[in-house]
Amino acid sequence: MTRSLFTFVFTLFLGLNALIAQHTIIPHPVNVEAVEGSVTVESEIGLVLDQENELISTMLDNFSSELKPLGIQMSSGGGAESTAATLLRITLKEEDSVKLGKEGYELHVGNGVINLQAIEPAGVFNGLQTFRQLLPQTRVADEEGNKEPIVLEGMRIVDYPRFGWRGLMLDVSRHFFTVEEVKDYIDQMSKYKFNVFHWHLTDDEGWRVEIKAFPRLTEVGAWRVERHGRFGSQRPYPKKNEKATYGGFYTQEEVKDVIAYAAERNVTIIPEIDVPGHSMALLAAYPELSTRKELKFVNPGSKFANWFDDGTFEMTIENTLDPSNPAVYAFLDMIFGEIAGLFPSDYIHMGGDECYHGYWERDEKVQAFMKENGIKDSHELQSYFVKRVEKIISDKGKKMIGWDEILEGGLADGAAVMSWRGMQGGIEAARSQHEVVMTPKEFVYLDYTQGDYSVENKIYDDLSLEKAYSFDPMPNPNLFVDIDPELILGGQGNLWTEVIPSLQYAYYMTYPRAFAISESLWSPLAAKDYKNFLGRTEVHFERFDQSGRSIAKTIYEPEVKLKMENRKMMCTLSSDFDDIEFRYTIDNTYPVGMGKKYTEAFEVPPGDLKLRVQSYRNGQSIGRMLLIDRKDLEARLK
């Protein structure tokens, strides 16, 4: 951390009120107030734990390991007062006078003591994450190598979440992530008070969890032929006798290890087994569970669906289970039995999205089954399948949750809905007294493009940081007076990985938009302020840089808009920051830093030319240079 940033965050401010106004905590706490006193942290923090608790002790061991790179040791006197100059006293309260709940905490910094109080270990964990954000990511040292003391001004924080479900989903089917990578992703999300990790374990491109009853699911379904580049028609199908070498899976022992790791970080893991669609990897191992019973392959990212302008689609290879086959339900009963035994979470996700009905509608046996059971159409048939799966999952002592397509044809009793095609599905489910997790794609799909197409992967939609920050999972109570707010469990961000082959790129796509989602799910609605959030986000850019993790800084780059005025193509540049200026050229010259300073809309003249533009702050370049040719500029005309 630079000395200027260190000074901004951790040393004396002009006044106590300035400290509170400029804190950099994400997500924003419920209440922060200045108090007299301060705490100086040098090489040791004495730990005083008022009550023995095994989980809290483990959390503190993990926290202590995070402080070691700062040159700080945590010492414990077994409950007695420590001789350390700075104390961290942790207390489990028996009464909740300020509605802290399970995950809330109070943090009081002053007079050489950091007091952390909570009702349960989850609250202690969240309080420790806030305390960690008050400390620098790295420690400033003087010329002799001595680490400078860290001064924390006196403050009292009272904090608790707005929603109980604050999740991130990681798709490990499209690209496989190792156990250590998954742990690192969980560790990072927990620092920003996410508490649900939705593990998308199966899809057309790979089956990632060991099922002992059906070993071919991982022997065959976990591996595909290796292909490179974007998913789609440019990725050829497997060649005859081509070996499947790309992929991987998690053994049940590895799953247990990840679950325990997450629990120490106040994260519950929700497993997803995606059925009846998205089942090509399953069917590659057990093709007899489809209607056509044809041999399949694990999809290597090749195109096998045609999407139409009205949002409908057609699968060219069958990737759905046969809902008329009793063997399918016996098969799923054994799978979900093993999943329920592995994962202690209350919920199991059964997918249910984007299920193509065409093969069902063309199969004589399925049609006869529908007639025999009084099922009028394929939507009711999917509802029949979902209700059967819900019964299987509930019989294992778990609650079923699925994507909002499970509403089609009627929703099974006891099922919860994860609403991704906007919020309407969640609203419909809540009106029917079902629990809901809001995850509308327009606000929380983290695979969406987040910057200018000239420097970012262009996919089918965009999601800016500001748009993500505007997410509110609670339907407007003035418009939806018939919805019980208790049924809205919370929300989550989803990271689909078709174009995300590595952990570092997963971080780039997740953050800082996950900061915005975290604040939308934790902080009071009245506390949200996008400009203030941007200032805090910039501090966390540096924290990510210093930790060696990637993070997208696209907010520094200009938004480029084009429109026709008086038969001229005019270009405007804008930014969320008031202290950033743009330099540009529009005549194929460079360096752009020597170009024109942007002050107002300018004409893009006719000709074979390119726009070069880059952001500057205090005379220094910030963000990437955008390079956009005239054809692309014309395509942006509104």
Side-chain angles (χ1 to χ4, degrees):
M1 182 175 287
T2 62
R3 181 177 295 273
S4 60
L5 181 58
F6 183 89
T7 302
F8 171 75
V9 182
F10 303 110
T11 60
L12 292 174
F13 290 82
L14 295 178
L16 291 177
N17 289 332
L19 167 73
I20 303 309
Q22 299 178 56
H23 80 76
T24 62
I25 301 166
I26 295 176
H28 195 294
V30 171
N31 185 64
V32 184
E33 61 178 303
V35 299
E36 295 296 330
S38 65
V39 168
T40 300
V41 180
E42 297 196 46
S43 60
E44 183 181 8
I45 295 177
L47 176 63
V48 180
L49 186 57
D50 285 2
Q51 178 179 330
E52 290 300 320
N53 183 286
E54 184 177 353
L55 180 54
I56 291 177
S57 295
T58 301
M59 290 174 174
L60 287 167
D61 287 343
N62 296 334
F63 185 69
S64 178
S65 67
E66 290 190 29
L67 298 186
K68 286 180 180 178
L70 294 175
I72 300 172
Q73 288 188 328
M74 288 184 64
S75 61
S76 174
E81 288 292 333
S82 171
T83 59
T86 302
L87 298 180
L88 171 60
R89 177 179 286 111
I90 296 176
T91 305
L92 285 179
K93 301 170 60 175
E94 294 184 357
E95 59 182 43
D96 190 0
S97 57
V98 291
K99 299 181 180 179
L100 294 180
K102 177 181 177 181
E103 294 189 275
Y105 63 92
E106 294 184 59
L107 186 66
H108 186 174
V109 177
N111 298 323
V113 178
I114 302 105
N115 281 305
L116 173 56
Q117 297 183 340
I119 306 299
E120 297 193 27
V124 172
F125 179 85
N126 288 324
L128 289 174
Q129 303 321 300
T130 294
F131 179 41
R132 181 64 186 90
Q133 288 191 31
L134 295 176
L135 301 172
Q137 184 67 27
T138 58
R139 190 85 174 268
V140 174
D142 61 22
E143 295 179 357
E144 287 75 32
N146 299 313
K147 296 185 184 299
E148 296 185 359
I150 303 168
V151 179
L152 304 178
E153 290 301 309
M155 67 176 70
R156 180 174 179 267
I157 298 174
V158 178
D159 201 13
Y160 45 85
R162 184 179 175 211
F163 293 98
W165 186 302
R166 305 179 306 281
L168 288 179
M169 187 217 73
L170 180 64
D171 165 17
V172 297
S173 175
R174 275 49 180 259
H175 285 287
F176 179 68
F177 293 80
T178 67
V179 166
E180 291 308 311
E181 288 173 331
V182 171
K183 284 182 175 181
D184 200 72
Y185 195 85
I186 290 171
D187 187 54
Q188 197 62 24
M189 63 183 274
S190 72
K191 296 180 188 302
Y192 294 95
K193 302 185 178 71
F194 286 101
N195 67 346
V196 175
F197 177 64
H198 176 172
W199 208 354
H200 185 79
L201 290 163
T202 74
D203 216 297
D204 299 309
E205 291 78 18
W207 183 283
R208 303 298 182 208
V209 58
E210 177 190 23
I211 301 297
K212 294 183 183 296
F214 303 109
R216 285 180 59 81
L217 285 172
T218 47
E219 291 171 358
V220 175
W223 305 94
R224 63 180 188 245
V225 298
E226 188 164 20
R227 297 288 184 265
H228 301 283
R230 297 289 292 266
F231 276 36
S233 57
Q234 69 272 33
R235 284 198 173 205
Y237 291 154
K239 300 173 185 177
K240 185 177 181 180
N241 298 324
E242 184 178 6
K243 290 187 177 180
T245 59
Y246 180 87
F249 66 94
Y250 311 104
T251 68
Q252 293 197 3
E253 288 306 308
E254 288 173 328
V255 168
K256 292 175 184 175
D257 180 41
V258 174
I259 290 170
Y261 186 89
E264 293 173 2
R265 289 153 180 81
N266 191 42
V267 172
T268 298
I269 298 181
I270 306 298
E272 181 181 354
I273 305 297
D274 200 351
V275 290
H278 287 282
S279 295
M280 197 166 171
L282 183 160
L283 294 173
Y286 297 96
E288 65 271 20
L289 299 178
S290 63
T291 63
R292 302 181 68 171
K293 300 176 174 48
E294 298 173 331
L295 291 177
K296 304 286 195 305
F297 53 81
V298 181
N299 182 30
S302 307
K303 180 180 178 181
F304 69 110
N306 296 313
W307 288 85
F308 307 113
D309 291 341
D310 62 359
T312 62
F313 62 98
E314 176 186 35
M315 306 304 300
T316 57
I317 300 176
E318 186 179 18
N319 74 334
T320 50
L321 301 177
D322 179 357
S324 69
N325 186 352
V328 166
Y329 300 103
F331 185 85
L332 292 178
D333 184 80
M334 296 180 73
I335 287 177
F336 284 117
E338 292 195 28
I339 293 296
L342 270 177
F343 291 88
S345 56
D346 292 336
Y347 296 88
I348 292 177
H349 203 299
M350 60 81 62
D353 64 313
E354 297 177 334
C355 179
Y356 178 61
H357 298 170
Y359 291 97
W360 298 350
E361 293 167 348
R362 294 191 291 269
D363 186 84
E364 292 181 2
K365 182 168 65 67
V366 171
Q367 292 302 305
F369 175 84
M370 291 172 62
K371 185 176 181 180
E372 180 181 343
N373 288 275
I375 300 172
K376 68 179 182 181
D377 58 27
S378 61
H379 296 292
E380 280 196 8
L381 181 59
Q382 176 157 336
S383 176
Y384 171 88
F385 177 91
V386 169
K387 289 175 181 177
R388 289 284 299 267
V389 171
E390 193 280 331
K391 181 67 166 56
I392 289 170
I393 291 175
S394 63
D395 283 349
K396 314 301 180 192
K398 303 291 185 178
K399 298 179 183 179
M400 190 193 80
I401 188 168
W403 303 110
D404 56 59
E405 284 95 331
I406 68 174
L407 288 161
E408 296 176 10
L411 185 57
D413 292 339
V417 170
M418 193 168 276
S419 187
W420 73 276
R421 295 178 299 176
M423 293 179 63
Q424 189 56 44
I427 291 169
E428 179 184 340
R431 281 175 170 158
S432 300
Q433 301 303 303
H434 290 270
E435 294 178 327
V436 174
V437 175
M438 292 294 191
T439 179
K441 59 184 180 178
E442 64 267 32
F443 294 101
V444 300
Y445 265 38
L446 299 172
D447 56 319
Y448 282 8
T449 305
Q450 59 186 320
D452 194 271
Y453 291 157
S454 65
V455 288
E456 294 284 309
N457 286 327
K458 182 178 182 179
I459 64 169
Y460 42 88
D461 214 334
D462 305 322
L463 175 60
S464 68
L465 181 63
E466 185 172 13
K467 179 79 171 183
Y469 194 73
S470 69
F471 173 50
D472 182 1
M474 185 62 68
N476 188 326
N478 295 321
L479 299 177
F480 302 101
V481 295
D482 55 340
I483 290 179
D484 180 358
E486 296 296 320
L487 293 171
I488 309 300
L489 303 181
Q492 72 178 34
N494 296 331
L495 186 65
W496 304 102
T497 60
E498 286 92 336
V499 296
I500 303 172
S502 68
L503 179 64
Q504 284 291 7
Y505 196 53
Y507 281 137
Y508 179 91
M509 296 302 290
T510 301
Y511 298 96
R513 291 181 293 186
F515 296 162
I517 296 168
S518 170
E519 194 143 303
S520 294
L521 298 172
W522 178 281
S523 305
L525 191 60
K528 292 183 68 177
D529 181 306
Y530 184 61
K531 288 289 186 181
N532 179 274
F533 169 75
L534 285 178
R536 287 177 284 125
T537 294
E538 287 198 88
V539 175
H540 289 261
F541 281 165
E542 190 156 354
R543 296 181 79 94
F544 266 64
D545 290 345
Q546 291 170 347
S547 72
R549 290 181 177 85
S550 180
I551 189 168
K553 300 177 182 178
T554 55
I555 55 173
Y556 289 144
E557 295 156 6
E559 183 177 4
V560 181
K561 292 184 178 180
L562 282 299
K563 65 177 180 178
M564 296 299 296
E565 290 184 358
N566 300 321
R567 298 184 179 181
K568 295 180 180 180
M569 185 162 66
M570 304 298 294
C571 179
T572 59
L573 308 174
S574 60
S575 168
D576 290 325
F577 295 94
D578 298 329
D579 61 344
I580 284 180
E581 67 176 31
F582 307 123
R583 295 278 177 173
Y584 74 95
T585 67
I586 195 63
D587 56 3
N588 297 330
T589 62
Y590 45 86
V592 70
M594 300 300 170
K596 295 181 180 179
K597 177 181 177 181
Y598 176 80
T599 57
E600 60 184 359
F602 56 89
E603 181 186 0
V604 179
D608 181 13
L609 50 79
K610 293 180 173 64
L611 169 67
R612 289 174 169 84
V613 58
Q614 190 163 16
S615 304
Y616 285 79
R617 175 184 277 165
N618 299 324
Q620 299 295 315
S621 61
I622 186 170
R624 298 164 294 186
M625 184 186 78
L626 308 186
L627 178 60
I628 312 171
D629 65 31
R630 184 183 173 85
K631 287 184 179 179
D632 286 342
L633 292 170
E634 290 174 350
R636 301 176 187 218
L637 281 169
K638 297 294 186 183

